[in-house]
Amino acid sequence: MKKIFTLLFSTVGLLMFSQKIESFETILNDKISIRAIELYDNKVWYSGTESKFGFVDLKDHKIQKQITLSEKKLQFRTLAQNKDAFYAINIESPAHFFRIDKKDLSVVNTYTDTLKTAFYDALIFVNDEHAVTFSDPAKDLNLKLSFIMPKLNAVLDFNTLTKREGFNTIKLNEGEAAFAASNTNIAHQGTNIWIATGGKSSRIIKIDYTTFKSNVYKTPFIQGESAQGMYSIDFANEKFGVAVGGDYTKQEANVNNIATTNDGGKTWQIQASGKNAGYTTCVKIKPNSKGKEMISVGDQHISYSSDFGKTWKKISDEKGFYVCKWVDGNTVVFAGKDKISLMKLKF
C-alpha cells in the first residue's frame, strides 16, 4: 500500500509539472554560443560566437537565416534594435559597433573602440534615437558609458557629456565590473537606466539619461570575489525591479543571489536566500504582470516566480541556456549553448 501511495503522489507531481509547461521544443541547432536575443517581425533574432547573426521564425521554425557580421571570428554578447536596424558590439578589443539594416540585412561597422580595456557588457535602446552601452572601465576606473545616436551616426562618451554638462564621472571600485552574461545587466524605464555591477562590489548605478544625473546604490547581494554579484536585472516600472546572479564558479550556491527593490533601486531586499536553484544569468518579468510573475534561467535550470520574486520554483532542469525573453504572456524563448528553444506555459 505504501508503494501505491508513493506512486500516486509521484504521478500527481508530474501532472502538476506538466500543467506548467505545455510544450518545450528546440527551434535552432547550431555550433554557437548565444547570449543576446531580440524579437521582431515574429522572429527571434540572435548574435553569438563566430560573428554569427540571424533569425528563426517563431511560427515556422524552418524559416531561418544566418549571416556573418565580420570575416573575423568575433564573439557577440550584445544585441539591440530600434525601428530601422539592429546593433551589435563584440566583446574584447577592438570593439566594433555593427549596424544591421532590417530591410536587407546589410551590415555597416559604424564605430570602433580601440581601447585595450574595451569589453562591452550590454546594449539597450531607450528610444529610437538613443541606445546605451557600457564597457569594462579603464585603469582610471571611470565608468565607460556610451550613447549610440543613429540619426547622427555618432557614438558619444558619457564622461565627455557629463563634463560638458557639469556633472562628475562615476567611479567604480577596485575589482568592480559587470558581466556580459545575457545582455541584461542594464535596464530602463521612463528616462532612467539602471546598471548592475559585480565582482568585489555589486552595486546599482542609476542614471537619468536626459539630465545625466546619477546615483550609485549599495546592495546586499553576494559580492567580494570576481565571479560574484548581479548578472541580470529587470524593472516592471520605475519603482519595482529584480536582480539575479550569484557565483559563476559555484553554481549550486544560492545565498544572497536574488533581490528586489520597491523604490527604484535605492534599497534592495534579499529574496529566497538558500531556497532557489542557484546561479542565474537572466531574469525577465512577465508582460503586464507588474512584476508579480517572472522567469529566470541559469546554466543548470529554468525557474519561475509568481509572487514578486519572493519564492521560486524550478520548472526545468534543462541545461545550457544563458538568456530568455517573453514572446507573450504564455511563451518564452531561450537561447544558449548551440540552441534556441521555445517554451509554452499553461497557467
Side-chain angles (χ1 to χ4, degrees), residues 80-96:
Q81 64 171 314
N82 67 355
K83 62 181 177 61
D84 299 317
F86 294 97
Y87 286 77
I89 310 169
N90 64 284
I91 60 171
E92 301 174 336
S93 181
H96 303 285

Side-chain angles (χ1 to χ4, degrees), residues 46-320:
Y46 62 89
S47 62
T49 50
E50 304 290 316
S51 292
K52 293 178 179 180
F53 169 87
F55 71 78
V56 182
D57 191 283
L58 291 170
K59 287 187 177 179
D60 186 349
H61 309 152
K62 294 180 180 179
I63 300 176
Q64 305 181 9
K65 186 176 180 64
Q66 188 178 92
I67 63 174
T68 55
L69 299 181
S70 171
E71 293 181 357
K72 300 176 182 178
K73 293 183 178 181
L74 304 176
Q75 293 189 52
F76 290 88
R77 298 188 183 183
T78 62
L79 185 64
Q81 64 171 314
N82 67 355
K83 62 181 177 61
D84 299 317
F86 294 97
Y87 286 77
I89 310 169
N90 64 284
I91 60 171
E92 301 174 336
S93 181
H96 303 285
F97 289 48
F98 289 96
R99 180 189 187 276
I100 306 100
D101 193 278
K102 285 183 174 179
K103 291 182 180 179
D104 58 9
L105 298 188
S106 58
V107 181
V108 178
N109 185 351
T110 61
Y111 176 76
T112 300
D113 186 343
T114 58
L115 196 66
K116 290 183 178 180
T117 54
F119 195 108
Y120 283 83
D121 301 293
L123 170 65
I124 190 171
F125 266 90
V126 294
N127 53 46
D128 276 332
E129 285 73 41
H130 298 89
V132 181
T133 184
F134 65 100
S135 168
D136 286 355
K139 292 182 180 179
D140 60 7
L141 294 180
N142 284 331
L143 178 71
K144 187 171 177 56
L145 189 72
S146 300
F147 291 83
I148 300 174
M149 308 179 79
K151 284 191 175 181
L152 299 178
N153 195 27
V155 177
L156 303 179
D157 180 73
F158 174 74
N159 289 336
T160 300
L161 290 169
T162 53
K163 287 176 183 177
R164 188 177 69 188
E165 299 294 333
F167 294 103
N168 294 325
T169 57
I170 299 170
K171 283 275 190 183
L172 298 183
N173 292 326
E174 189 73 35
E176 180 182 15
F179 300 114
S182 60
N183 196 47
T184 57
N185 55 13
I186 185 170
H188 86 95
Q189 287 285 340
T191 63
N192 293 314
I193 61 173
W194 294 265
I195 296 170
T197 68
K200 293 189 177 180
S201 291
S202 190
R203 303 185 295 172
I204 287 289
I205 300 166
K206 184 179 180 180
I207 302 169
D208 185 317
Y209 62 83
T210 62
T211 64
F212 303 118
K213 291 183 179 179
S214 61
N215 291 283
V216 183
Y217 302 114
K218 294 181 179 180
T219 76
F221 228 83
I222 183 172
Q223 56 195 282
E225 301 292 336
S226 61
Q228 295 177 342
M230 292 177 285
Y231 279 70
S232 176
I233 56 173
D234 198 18
F235 276 76
N237 47 53
E238 293 188 26
K239 293 295 184 181
F240 180 80
V242 60
V244 300
D247 189 332
Y248 174 75
T249 64
K250 300 174 183 176
Q251 298 205 12
E252 73 287 348
N254 61 1
V255 174
N256 296 349
N257 65 323
I258 299 173
T260 58
T261 179
N262 289 289
D263 56 12
K266 293 180 182 179
T267 60
W268 292 81
Q269 296 76 46
I270 292 293
Q271 307 290 0
S273 184
K275 298 177 181 179
N276 64 80
Y279 166 76
T280 304
T281 63
C282 183
V283 63
K284 283 295 178 182
I285 294 171
K286 182 179 176 180
N288 302 315
S289 72
K290 299 181 180 180
K292 183 178 181 180
E293 297 176 73
M294 58 188 77
I295 201 161
S296 69
V297 62
D299 290 7
Q300 308 294 317
H301 68 94
I302 298 171
S303 297
Y304 185 83
S305 175
S306 59
D307 58 1
F308 297 96
K310 294 177 181 178
T311 62
W312 291 81
K313 178 183 179 181
K314 183 166 68 172
I315 61 173
S316 174
D317 287 309
E318 189 76 21
K319 296 175 173 56

